[in-house]
DNA sequence: CTAGCGTCA
DNA sequence: TCTCTGACGCTAG
């Protein structure tokens, strides 16, 4: 650990001594980079490089110096590096590609999170406590001298971090994955995604219109105006004025906190049959949520036709990235229907809304999305070595459609098979029939309609993941809208068909009880203190989290690795222009130059499907991980 | 079932 | 008036 260059930034309130909560009074007015350079004989010299916004000298010597410093091979350390990077790249316009590939350093904020991802730290002093770095007595003379002293502590913190991470075999993951991700996330944040404001506004108006109609309808059937968002008022109307529960002798569950009669979704769905109001409320809540978050709410975040999200590296215990302010990972994917049962009107006035369609590429660019096909299910097959799934997953077929088809053909054996064979998709079905013969215990669900709709696939997918991660019959019944006996049968048929679900569960839980922690394919760890709890509920939860972590965390490793490797490969083709805009867990969305679309498609697919390279040469998956590439002129087109 | 974030009372 | 919390609903698997 020789020659560390330490880089906090912002004079006075650098990350090392910034207060717990960013309050207005603590906001710094001057900014720059504070750094210390240690020589061989351990003498450290400290400097402060002032960076004034709008200063023309920012483009000259200061820029060159920072570029030299940050891309130098010396070991550099910085607490909160992503924040520093966004600041610097924004200020100096450093070239994104080069930053991503060469600006590497060590950040104890991320390091501490790798040690215990359930307890991320938020301040430098927490890092000191967590790592047991000697509590330093900071003498308050002036900002500069205080910062110098903190830089000394930073060295100690990284020293401790190194020993902790190495002894837990996390160093490689830290340096080769998480630290390489930092500059990429900074670049993604700064690029932003462009938005068709007019389109978003139009959708907002359409939603508003529909919401107003629903509100009027609700007031009418309630007999008086009231605030539709108020559960208190709604409760009074439903149970004291309309007395829906008494009149129809329906028992209403009580809320846990206030032990008042619930107005929750399942309750309203139950009441829909006896009165129009609950149905209207449900529809209202749905549209109101969409408007306040995804149209009206999203417009608050637009800056000169762009939306800039924040990518959080240390927010999820499984190793996933998260997005916030706004959360672009939760923009609705499926079309929203404005057709209503209560508000009649010509359908032309109620078009379906695609809330992802206002997000568009810059002029001259096209969106390119790359999706890992059912990554967690495939990883389960690999990790559990399930013989049936290992066989099925040799082919890049859509297993959720296959399963949906299987259930369908089992309930109504004829028709569809023929047409699918004619369209050349019969092969999949034959494969699945060989593996899960018609008439097996997967049948009799009777919940799919005449033809296979996209919703059927979505439903099947949710069943698979629910059961895989240990859902009880009650929960499954609730979301499938079937009774408990049917849900039980579904779960049971899965367990019979894939006995490795249980054996893998037992294996993972046993390992977790032995070690107190588990590891993903990429070596990421998570601690499970409750795995030995005497409280059965807590223990069961820890067991489900354990299973989920191994799979979801491994998927996160692969996706992060894919982001980095695509970036590296693009680096060897300087003419190719592709900018990563979004990561939605298993999906990467790029903005690529129109004329280079085909070339980049091929490049991305090749890199992402090379799982051996993604995992490092020593590891290999038992199954391929097919990647689906789509492209288009708005985000809805590639979803 | 797991993992998140944003809205609202 | 402000901040925090729980329930809900959107996403991803």
């Amino acid at each position: 650990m020789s020659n560390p260059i330490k880089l906090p930034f912002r004079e006075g309130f650098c990350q090392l001594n910034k207060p717990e909560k960013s309050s207005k009074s603590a906001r710094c007015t001057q900014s720059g980079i504070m750094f210390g350079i240690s020589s061989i004989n351990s003498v450290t010299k400290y400097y402060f490089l002032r960076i004034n916004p709008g200063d023309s000298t920012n483009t000259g010597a200061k820029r060159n110096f920072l570029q030299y410093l940050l891309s130098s091979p010396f070991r550099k350390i910085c607490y909160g590096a992503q924040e520093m990077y966004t600041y610097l790249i924004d200020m100096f316009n450093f070239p994104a590609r080069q930053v991503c590939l060469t600006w590497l350093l060590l950040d104890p904020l991320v390091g501490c999170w790798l040690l215990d991802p359930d307890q991320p730290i938020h301040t430098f002093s927490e890092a000191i406590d967590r790592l047991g770095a000697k509590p330093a007595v900071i003498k308050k003379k002036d900002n500069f001298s205080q910062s110098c002293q903190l830089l000394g502590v930073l060295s100690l913190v990284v020293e401790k971090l190194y020993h902790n991470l190495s002894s837990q075999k996390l160093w490689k993951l830290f340096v080769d994955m998480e630290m390489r991700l930092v500059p990429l996330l900074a670049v993604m944040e700064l690029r932003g995604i462009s938005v068709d404001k007019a389109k978003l506004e139009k959708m907002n108006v359409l939603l508003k219109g529909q919401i107003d109609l629903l509100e009027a309808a609700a007031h009418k059937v309630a007999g008086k105006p009231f605030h539709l968002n108020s559960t208190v008022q709604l409760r009074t109307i439903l149970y004291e004025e309309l007395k829906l529960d008494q009149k129809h002798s329906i028992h209403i569950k009580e809320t846990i906190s206030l032990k008042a009669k619930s107005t929750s979704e399942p309750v309203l769905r139950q009441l829909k049959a006896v009165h129009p109001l609950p149905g209207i409320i449900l529809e209202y809540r749905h549209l109101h949520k969409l408007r306040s978050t995804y149209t009206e709410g999203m417009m608050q975040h637009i800056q000169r036709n762009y939306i800039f999200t924040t990518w959080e590296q240390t927010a999820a215990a499984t190793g996933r990235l998260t997005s916030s302010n706004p959360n672009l990972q939760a923009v609705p994917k499926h079309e929203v229907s404005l057709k209503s049962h209560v508000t009649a009107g010509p359908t032309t006035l109620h078009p379906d809304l695609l809330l992802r369609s206002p997000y568009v590429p810059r002029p001259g660019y096209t969106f390119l999305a790359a999706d890992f096909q059912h990554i967690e299910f495939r990883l389960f097959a690999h990790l559990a070595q399930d013989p049936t799934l290992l066989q099925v997953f040799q082919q890049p077929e859509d297993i959720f459609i296959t399963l949906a088809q299987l259930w369908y053909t089992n309930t109504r054996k004829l028709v569809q098979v023929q047409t699918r064979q004619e369209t050349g998709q019969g092969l999949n079905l034959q494969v699945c029939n060989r593996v899960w013969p018609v008439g097996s215990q997967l049948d009799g669900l009777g919940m799919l309609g005449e033809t296979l709709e996209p919703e059927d696939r979505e439903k099947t997918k949710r069943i698979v993941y629910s059961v895989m991660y240990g859902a009880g019959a009650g929960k499954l019944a609730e979301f499938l809208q079937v009774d408990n006996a049917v849900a039980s049968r579904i779960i049971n048929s899965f367990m019979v068909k894939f006995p490795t679900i249980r054996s893998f569960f037992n294996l993972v839980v046993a390992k977790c009880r032995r070690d107190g922690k588990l590891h993903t394919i990429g070596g990421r760890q998570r601690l499970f203190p409750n795995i030995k709890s005497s409280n059965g509920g807590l223990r069961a939860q820890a067991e489900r989290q354990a299973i989920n972590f191994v799979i979801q965390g491994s998927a996160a490793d692969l996706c992060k690795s894919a982001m980095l490797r695509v970036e590296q490969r693009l680096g060897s083709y300087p003419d190719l222009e592709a900018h990563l805009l979004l990561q939605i867990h298993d999906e990467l969305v790029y903005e690529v130059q129109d004329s280079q679309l085909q070339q980049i498609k091929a490049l991305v697919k090749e890199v992402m499907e090379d799982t051996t390279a993604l995992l490092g040469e020593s590891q290999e998956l038992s199954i391929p991980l097919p990647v689906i590439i789509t492209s288009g002129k708005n985000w809805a087109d590639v979803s």
Side-chain angles (χ1 to χ4, degrees), chain A residues 441-455:
Chain A
Q441 293 177 48
L442 276 172
D443 70 351
L445 304 182
M447 60 194 176
L448 300 175
E450 278 299 321
T451 54
L452 206 63
E453 300 294 332
E455 300 94 84

Side-chain angles (χ1 to χ4, degrees), chain A residues 473-497:
Chain A
K475 288 284 182 178
L476 190 64
E478 197 181 307
F479 100 79
L480 284 179
Q481 297 281 283
V482 296
D483 51 77
N484 273 16
V486 175
S488 271
R489 257 178 53 215
I490 294 173
I491 293 172
N492 195 49
S493 74
F494 252 81
M495 295 302 197
V496 170
K497 222 59 213 168

Side-chain angles (χ1 to χ4, degrees), chain A residues 43-91:
Chain A
V43 175
T44 306
K45 293 205 167 188
Y46 297 102
Y47 307 89
F48 179 72
L49 182 70
R50 185 173 306 283
I51 298 165
N52 299 318
D55 185 342
S56 59
T57 62
N58 284 356
T59 55
K62 286 179 187 173
R63 187 179 192 275
N64 292 341
F65 174 72
L66 284 167
Q67 169 72 344
Y68 164 76
L69 197 66
L70 285 156
S71 58
S72 73
F74 294 115
R75 206 182 281 269
K76 300 167 292 289
I77 60 182
C78 175
Y79 174 87
Q82 191 187 338
E83 199 184 338
M84 182 189 75
Y85 280 168
T86 51
Y87 168 76
L88 287 181
I89 298 164
D90 191 31
M91 195 71 83

Side-chain angles (χ1 to χ4, degrees), chain A residues 231-343:
Chain A
T231 51
V232 180
Q233 290 182 34
L234 179 62
R235 185 152 42 227
T236 313
I237 289 166
L238 287 178
Y239 307 125
E240 285 169 34
E241 295 175 15
L242 298 172
K243 297 190 198 302
L244 292 186
D245 50 336
Q246 284 177 37
K247 282 187 188 168
H248 302 87
S249 47
I250 296 168
H251 177 69
I252 303 296
K253 280 184 297 187
E254 295 193 335
T255 56
I256 318 136
S257 50
L258 292 163
K259 56 177 194 151
K261 285 172 184 170
S262 169
T263 59
S264 66
E265 201 219 302
V267 171
L268 292 184
R269 232 189 283 131
Q270 194 183 355
L271 292 172
K272 238 165 85 170
V274 300
H275 195 274
L277 184 57
I280 296 171
I281 296 290
L282 286 174
E283 223 175 305
Y284 172 88
R285 281 184 185 173
H286 178 224
L287 297 185
H288 179 79
K289 155 82 185 187
L290 294 176
R291 183 169 118 91
S292 62
T293 311
Y294 304 111
T295 61
E296 185 105 309
M298 204 55 87
M299 290 193 293
Q300 314 295 323
H301 292 283
I302 298 181
Q303 299 171 29
R304 351 170 281 268
N305 294 324
Y306 290 89
I307 282 181
F308 302 92
T309 187
T310 302
W311 295 103
E312 301 278 350
Q313 193 170 6
T314 60
T318 52
R320 279 182 168 188
L321 295 172
T322 66
S323 156
S324 62
N325 295 300
N327 179 3
L328 291 179
Q329 290 177 322
V331 178
K333 181 178 202 163
H334 301 288
E335 54 183 26
V336 177
S337 173
L338 290 184
K339 288 188 223 50
S340 170
H341 300 291
V342 288
T343 57

Side-chain angles (χ1 to χ4, degrees), chain A residues 419-439:
Chain A
T419 51
R420 257 180 230 114
Q421 279 169 348
E422 278 160 14
T423 55
Q425 292 174 29
L427 185 65
N428 292 351
L429 199 63
Q430 280 161 18
V431 169
C432 95
N433 280 346
R434 196 175 65 241
V435 181
W436 301 297
V438 169

